[in-house]
Amino acid sequence: MAENTVKVDISFQSLLQAISSLGVAEKHQLLELLEAELFPDDEDSTEDIAEIQSARADYTAGDYMTFDEYRAKRAERSA
C-alpha cells in the first residue's frame, strides 16, 4: 500500500495547540506514530519473540526462581 506524503508548513506552537485539542485515543495514536518514527529498530525480532514466549511458558509451568531464591543460592555459593 503506497502512502502519500504531504508536507505542511505549520509552526511548532500551532502543532502543540493542535495536539492539546486531541482526545486521549488520538493522542495515543500520535504517540504510537512518534515512537515508530523515533525508534524504528525497536521492534522485537523473531528471536526475541521466541525467547519471550519460551520464558512465559517456563513461568506458567512453574519453572522459575524468585529473586530471593536466587540471592539465597548465590549467598550459599560465596559462603
Side-chain angles (χ1 to χ4, degrees):
M1 174 187 277
E3 291 186 36
N4 294 329
T5 303
V6 177
K7 294 198 179 214
V8 178
D9 187 17
I10 184 171
S11 73
F12 190 71
Q13 187 61 37
S14 296
L15 180 59
L16 291 177
Q17 289 173 345
I19 291 170
S20 68
S21 72
L22 296 175
V24 173
E26 294 166 316
K27 287 178 182 176
H28 281 286
Q29 286 180 312
L30 181 58
L31 178 61
E32 289 175 11
L33 177 119
L34 289 171
E35 286 178 343
E37 289 289 320
L38 292 170
F39 310 108
D41 297 327
D42 226 17
E43 295 295 318
D44 289 328
S45 68
T46 306
E47 294 82 17
D48 290 340
I49 292 170
E51 190 173 333
I52 291 167
Q53 289 172 336
S54 175
R56 285 183 177 155
D58 289 346
Y59 180 77
T60 301
D63 185 16
Y64 63 90
M65 180 185 303
T66 67
F67 183 70
D68 290 336
E69 291 169 336
Y70 169 78
R71 197 168 35 181
K73 192 175 237 182
R74 187 165 175 135
E76 288 174 11
R77 279 193 262 161
S78 53

